[in-house]
Amino acid sequence: MTVLVACALLALPGCAGGDAGAATSSPPKAAVSSAPAATTPKSALAGLIVVPDGYGPDKRELSGAFTLQSFLGTISSVPAEDRALLLNADFSEGYQTVRISPDHKKQYTVRLFRTGSKRKAQDLRTGFWRQETFTTQYSVPGVPGVLTGRRVTPTGLPDESEAVAQAGFVAGTMLAQITVRQTGLIGSNLQPDTKLVTSLAQQQYKRLTAKAG
């Protein structure tokens, strides 16, 4: 009787009622490899963009590839008009880069639009240009068919004006738009930076014609 009680209490191997042969540890778990993080494919247009030396990304604005819907929803100021223009142009893809000068006074924007044909790109260029109000135009030597404009207008904020210089041109099936904006006090002799736009438009045209879309 004493032996039976001891076996029951201690559950020794070989005793009746013991756990002989039972597993004492959980089996090792199979290693689980995590799937690689999804990456967003880069647009081929990114490599065609020309930006000013020393200018850094302007995090206040969208930089990157855009579709018809993302352009209308996040960039366009007149979505209904731009939708019609882009659909008529057989727009397929676009890219925008926005940079800011080291002193944070000038904002540089370049946009590329891939269209269905050179003629459609020219029509898109004209449509966008007609949406703007400029006081004068200027020339960009070496860039055929370029449409330009400049203006200085109040921003709506107290004592503040904005100077804008813009150029739009076609290379192959691609439309390129370059805009430089700068704000300053009213009466501070603020002038649109047509020199910067001219230089970068010439560089951008050369790059696009070397790899015309």
Side-chain angles (χ1 to χ4, degrees), residues 149-152 162-165 180 182 190-195:
R150 57 186 171 190
R151 67 173 180 264
V152 179
E162 179 184 57
V164 178
V180 173
Q182 181 179 2
L190 190 65
Q191 296 295 324
D193 196 343
T194 58
K195 183 177 180 180

Side-chain angles (χ1 to χ4, degrees), residues 67-92:
T67 63
L68 172 64
Q69 293 305 321
S70 62
F71 179 82
L72 297 177
T74 61
I75 298 176
S76 173
S77 58
V78 282
E81 292 183 26
D82 287 345
R83 180 181 179 83
L85 288 172
L86 292 171
L87 288 176
N88 288 337
D90 290 336
F91 167 77
S92 58

